[in-house]
Amino acid sequence: MPTDDDARLAAELVTQAAALAARMRAGDALTVSRKTSVSDVVTDADHAAEELVLGTLLRERPDDGVLGEEGASVESRSGRRWVIDPVDGTYNFASGSDYWCSALALVAGDELVLGAVAHHATGSVVVGGPGLPTTRDGEPVGPVHDDPLGLVSAGTYLHPGFFAEPSVHDPWTRAVSRPATIRMLGSGSMDLVGVATGRLGCWFQHTTPAWDWLPGAAIVAGAGGTTRQVEVGGRTWSVAGGARSVAEVVAALEG
């Protein structure tokens, strides 16, 4: 179970990380570099925000482990680990869009404890987990609606390079044909907050790194939603939403 201090620390860290990234973007010298493709990018704000979170965790939680998207790696002595996404939606961030956030998760062993997401553009912070009812700026959210897939919107993402891979394209095509409508917005954590707060009905994506999945999955769980990961065609698909929509997405993926 998370403590109040865990939740407070997580909320403070994502708020500070998002504020730092926003200040750096507002300056004149943001450096943008490619990782694996023209749309898979990293900025010096990503690195600075991750360093900020890492430094605080080393002071406040010296026995806990840390895993960060931009390379932070600390072994755990407590059995707990913090997972950092300093800027989720970096392509959006670097392009001037406000659909990005800073995200953080806490796990204990294999158990998801909590997630926190800060959206700097609206000043909102969402915190929640399986044992921690999800709140936005301190106010409860949810419960996640349990509607059939055909009545809800689905957030998802498929990089153009995967359209030529049948093992990914085929299950994805089956799944995207089922919801009322599809949204591809470019930030997994923002999308999962959208599921928890009712802006999206469900969400699914393949091969999702821990930092893109765990913060939002915790928040969806804390709002009464369902989260699942399933193997289809040699890929792990992450799915979140109401119980019925998640079951229908999984069935479509599995064919």
Side-chain angles (χ1 to χ4, degrees):
M1 293 289 292
T3 67
D4 290 342
D5 200 40
D6 289 331
R8 174 199 57 77
L9 179 61
E12 290 178 357
L13 288 173
V14 292
T15 300
Q16 292 168 7
L20 174 59
R23 289 196 302 271
M24 294 181 69
R25 187 174 74 165
D28 297 326
L30 189 69
T31 300
V32 182
S33 304
R34 292 186 188 180
K35 289 183 176 180
T36 61
S37 71
V38 67
S39 62
D40 182 17
V41 297
V42 64
T43 73
D44 50 354
D46 293 73
H47 290 292
E50 183 163 299
E51 285 297 319
L52 182 153
V53 175
L54 174 62
T56 302
L57 289 173
L58 291 175
R59 292 192 305 272
E60 298 286 333
R61 298 290 191 274
D63 292 329
D64 291 354
V66 180
L67 174 67
E69 180 179 9
E70 307 311 333
S73 180
V74 178
E75 290 295 321
S76 175
R77 297 190 296 271
S78 66
R80 304 187 344 151
R81 182 178 64 174
W82 298 83
V83 181
I84 309 167
D85 195 341
V87 177
D88 183 45
T90 301
Y91 188 82
N92 292 348
F93 173 81
S95 302
S97 167
D98 285 332
Y99 201 79
W100 64 274
C101 62
S102 292
L104 183 66
L106 173 61
V107 297
D110 294 329
E111 298 296 322
L112 185 54
V113 176
L114 64 79
V117 171
H119 182 221
H120 184 78
T122 57
S124 64
V125 182
V126 182
V127 183
L132 179 68
T134 297
T135 60
R136 178 174 55 195
D137 302 330
E139 296 297 322
V141 305
V144 172
H145 295 298
D146 189 20
D147 296 319
L149 184 58
L151 298 181
V152 304
S153 61
T156 187
Y157 180 73
L158 187 66
H159 189 277
F162 285 103
F163 278 88
E165 292 194 23
S167 64
V168 175
H169 174 266
D170 292 354
W172 185 81
T173 300
R174 290 194 298 268
V176 297
S177 70
R178 308 293 177 85
T181 190
I182 293 294
R183 298 290 181 262
M184 296 178 64
L185 302 173
S187 169
S189 289
M190 286 289 293
D191 289 349
L192 287 162
V193 166
V195 172
T197 57
R199 289 186 292 104
L200 289 170
C202 66
W203 179 89
F204 58 94
Q205 188 171 318
H206 77 90
T207 321
T208 311
W211 44 79
D212 285 337
W213 169 242
L214 296 177
I219 286 167
V220 170
T226 297
T227 63
R228 287 184 62 182
Q229 289 188 305
V230 294
E231 296 290 328
V232 179
R235 308 275 184 172
T236 299
W237 291 80
S238 301
V239 188
R244 282 191 285 182
S245 63
V246 167
E248 290 185 60
V249 168
V250 170
L253 290 170
E254 293 177 336

